[in-house]
Amino acid sequence: MNSLIVSRFGGDAAANSEEVRKAAEIVKSNPARRYIIISAPGSTHTSSGITDMLYMCHASAKNHENYDVTLGKILDRYKEIVDGLKLNFDIYTEINALRESLEAGRDLDYIGSRGEYIMAKIFAKFLGWDFVDASEIIFFNKDGTPDMAKTFSIAEKKLKNYERAVIPSFYGSLSDGRIKTFIRGDCDTAGALVACAVKADLFEKWSDTTKIYSADPAVIPNPEIIRNVTYNEAIELNYIGINIVKDNVSIMLNESGIPMKIASINDPEDDEMLISPKLPENISRRLVLCIAGQKNFNVIRIQKYGINRTYDIEEKIFGLLSKHNIACQHYIAGIHRMALILKNLRFDLRRNEILDDIKTIIQPDSVTVERGLSLIAVIGEGMGTVKGVFGRIFEALASVGIKVQMVEQGSDDLNIIIGVHDNDYENAIKALYQAVILEG
C-alpha cells in the first residue's frame, strides 16, 4: 500500500513567490504528499503578515475608518506571489470580494480567515491540485474547541473524493456555518486534524528553521541537535519552555499513532526532526534527550503540623491561587510542610494578598517566601528506569559545589526537575550537560 503524507506549510513558506516555489518543489518531490495545509503569507522584513493586516482592516472598517492603504498592501503581497509564479490567477477578484466583506461588516473570524483562503487557492492553482475549503471539513464546538468526531467523520468522507488537495489552515466552521478561527499560532491543529481524519502515515510541518538543541546554546556552545523525540518528551519540553509542537497536537497524533516530521524548507534533506509515539527501533539515541530550565521562580514554604491529614488542603491551596489567577508550577507536599513554586512577576503583583489568604485559609504555623529559584529539567523517555542516571545527576552538581534546593521526579520516568539558586543556573546546566549528555 502506498503511504499517505499530510504536509503543513507555515506563513514563512508562503511569504513570497520564491518561498512558495520552494514549498511546491518539496510537495512534488514525494508523490505520497497528497493533502497540503497552508497558512497565509507571514511577515517579512518590509511587511506585516497578511493576517495581521486583515485584522487591521477589520478594526478600521468597524470604526468607519479608511483601510485602503492596508488593503493595498495585502493586494501587493499576493500580487508579488501570483506574478512571481507566472500564474494565471485573478487576485483582483479575491481582493474585491474581501473589500465587499469588510463593507458588509463580516465578523473578525471571517475576515481573519481570508488570508489562508486566498493563499490556499493560489497554491492549489500553482500545483494543479484541487482546493478544499477548510470550512467544509474542519468543525468547532460552541465553546471554540475543535469538534474532532465531526471533523474526522466528514473530512474522511469528503477527502476520499480528492486524490490531491490544498486546504487552508487556521479556520473551520461552527454548526451554524459561521467561520471560526483557531487561536493564533495554533494552525498545526488543522493539519493534525486532517492527518488523523485520513489516517495518514506521516504528518509534516515545514518552516524556516527546525533546530531544537539538547541544551541552551547561550549556555552550552554548539550543543547537540535533537533529531528524534517521542510525543511524551515533546510535551515535557513544552512545559519547560522549548516549544516544538503544541500539547493538543502531540496528544491527538500520539493517540492516532501518526508520527510527525518537522523540517526546514531551506534544508529539506538534512535539517529535520521526527516526533513519534515511541522511538523507532532503528534509532540509536542518548537516554537523556535534553537539559533545559528557567530562572526567576518564587517558593512559598508553608509549615503546619499534620498538614498531610488535612483532607481538603489541595482544594484550599489551588482555590486561593485560582482566585488570584496564579499558576502553580510545582507543588511539593510532606507530612508537616509543603512548597508552592510560582513564577515571579505575577506573584510579585499579588504577594501580600496571597500570603494573607494563606494565613487566613490554611492557618499555618509559619509561611515564608524565597526568591531566585531556577528550575532545571533533565528529560528523557524511560530515564527513571535505568540505574545510575540520577546518581550521575547529583554527583555532577555536587562536583561543582551546587546545592540542590528541591527535587521532583515525574511519575512516568520522563524527567527529573531540580531547583537551584539563580546564581548557580549556568554552572548547573554545564555540569549536567557534561555528565548526562556528553558522557551519558
Side-chain angles (χ1 to χ4, degrees):
M1 180 182 291
N2 294 329
S3 61
L4 192 163
I5 299 174
V6 172
S7 304
R8 187 181 103 68
F9 291 87
D12 44 13
N16 54 51
S17 58
E18 181 182 354
E19 297 303 311
V20 174
R21 282 189 183 278
K22 287 183 189 177
E25 289 172 4
I26 289 168
V27 171
K28 293 177 179 179
S29 69
N30 188 341
R33 295 185 178 110
R34 292 176 49 199
Y35 301 112
I36 306 302
I37 320 296
I38 194 164
S39 293
S43 60
T44 67
H45 66 284
T46 59
S47 172
S48 299
I50 292 292
T51 303
D52 288 332
M53 290 193 283
L54 288 169
Y55 285 163
M56 291 168 61
C57 286
H58 181 270
S60 296
K62 188 175 181 180
N63 294 324
H64 306 290
E65 297 169 352
N66 190 289
Y67 48 79
D68 286 346
V69 172
T70 305
L71 195 59
K73 291 179 179 178
I74 293 173
L75 171 61
D76 290 342
R77 288 289 303 278
Y78 281 121
K79 194 170 185 303
E80 186 281 326
I81 293 171
V82 171
D83 292 347
L85 298 176
K86 296 179 172 54
L87 191 62
N88 181 21
F89 184 91
D90 188 359
I91 188 59
Y92 293 100
T93 295
E94 298 293 343
I95 297 301
N96 286 335
L98 175 58
R99 181 186 291 278
E100 291 173 1
S101 296
L102 286 163
E103 291 173 351
R106 297 296 297 266
D107 63 33
L108 182 62
D109 280 25
Y110 180 85
I111 297 300
S113 72
R114 297 304 88 183
E116 273 76 10
Y117 174 83
I118 295 172
M119 188 62 234
K121 291 180 78 172
I122 292 171
F123 199 50
K125 181 84 171 180
F126 186 58
L127 290 173
W129 290 16
D130 291 307
F131 165 81
V132 175
D133 195 339
S135 65
E136 299 176 1
I137 60 170
I138 296 176
F139 302 94
F140 288 86
N141 298 307
K142 289 181 180 179
D143 63 1
T145 59
D147 185 339
M148 291 192 288
K150 183 176 180 180
T151 296
F152 292 165
S153 174
I154 293 179
E156 180 184 18
K157 292 175 184 176
K158 187 173 182 66
L159 291 176
K160 281 182 178 178
N161 298 320
Y162 299 93
E163 180 65 22
R164 304 184 184 280
V166 178
I167 304 160
S169 68
F170 190 45
Y171 72 92
S173 61
L174 295 163
S175 58
D176 60 6
R178 287 181 297 129
I179 295 295
K180 177 77 179 79
T181 58
F182 290 95
I183 298 170
R184 292 294 297 272
D186 196 21
C187 291
D188 287 349
T189 302
L193 285 166
V194 172
C196 293
V198 300
K199 300 177 177 59
D201 297 290
L202 178 67
F203 173 52
E204 297 179 325
K205 175 182 177 179
W206 294 88
S207 60
D208 57 348
T209 182
T210 63
K211 287 186 173 65
I212 301 294
Y213 296 98
S214 57
D216 185 351
V219 179
I220 303 295
N222 301 314
E224 291 186 355
I225 297 172
I226 298 172
R227 299 292 187 186
N228 292 278
V229 184
T230 66
Y231 285 116
N232 288 332
E233 290 172 329
I235 291 171
E236 294 295 328
L237 289 170
N238 278 349
Y239 174 75
I240 206 65
I242 300 178
N243 300 310
I244 300 176
V245 61
K246 289 185 177 294
D247 289 354
N248 65 315
V249 173
S250 289
I251 292 168
M252 192 191 317
L253 293 172
N254 193 27
E255 290 178 348
S256 297
I258 300 172
M260 177 178 183
K261 184 177 82 170
I262 301 178
S264 170
I265 58 174
N266 297 314
D267 193 0
E269 296 298 326
D270 298 323
D271 192 5
E272 65 179 49
M273 172 192 294
L274 182 69
I275 312 174
S276 49
K278 62 180 182 179
L279 292 176
E281 294 181 357
N282 62 335
I283 294 297
S284 177
R285 197 200 74 183
R286 297 182 189 279
L287 181 64
V288 173
L289 173 74
C290 181
I291 299 164
Q294 296 179 0
K295 289 184 173 182
N296 301 320
F297 289 91
N298 282 304
V299 184
I300 303 178
R301 298 193 185 277
I302 301 170
Q303 181 170 329
K304 180 183 173 80
Y305 180 77
I307 198 170
N308 66 314
R309 296 196 296 271
T310 305
Y311 71 91
D312 60 349
I313 187 64
E314 292 183 353
E315 179 181 348
K316 290 178 177 179
I317 287 291
F318 291 111
L320 71 87
L321 291 177
S322 177
K323 169 188 169 183
H324 295 286
N325 198 25
I326 300 288
C328 182
Q329 301 292 320
H330 289 278
Y331 168 74
I332 303 173
I335 298 174
H336 306 303
R337 297 173 182 83
M338 66 170 52
L340 309 174
I341 300 172
L342 316 172
K343 259 298 186 182
N344 279 1
L345 179 60
R346 187 176 291 276
F347 171 73
D348 287 345
L349 296 174
R350 310 297 294 272
R351 175 189 176 109
N352 292 336
E353 298 168 67
I354 293 170
L355 294 180
D356 286 344
D357 277 354
I358 289 175
K359 291 173 184 177
T360 300
I361 297 171
I362 308 300
Q363 298 182 343
D365 299 328
S366 67
V367 56
T368 59
V369 177
E370 298 174 13
R371 295 180 58 83
L373 180 76
S374 291
L375 295 181
I376 300 173
V378 182
I379 299 169
E381 186 89 42
M383 184 179 65
T385 63
V386 178
K387 293 180 180 179
V389 176
F390 290 171
R392 293 204 307 275
I393 288 171
F394 294 111
E395 287 173 6
L397 295 174
S399 69
V400 292
I402 293 175
K403 180 182 178 182
V404 175
Q405 303 296 313
M406 61 147 282
V407 177
E408 182 179 355
Q409 180 186 354
S411 59
D412 48 12
D413 295 319
L414 270 167
N415 68 53
I416 181 169
I417 296 177
I418 301 159
V420 301
H421 283 303
D422 281 347
N423 292 338
D424 291 327
Y425 175 78
E426 284 79 9
N427 286 335
I429 293 287
K430 292 174 183 177
L432 291 170
Y433 186 80
Q434 180 67 34
V436 297
I437 299 287
L438 295 184
E439 299 176 2

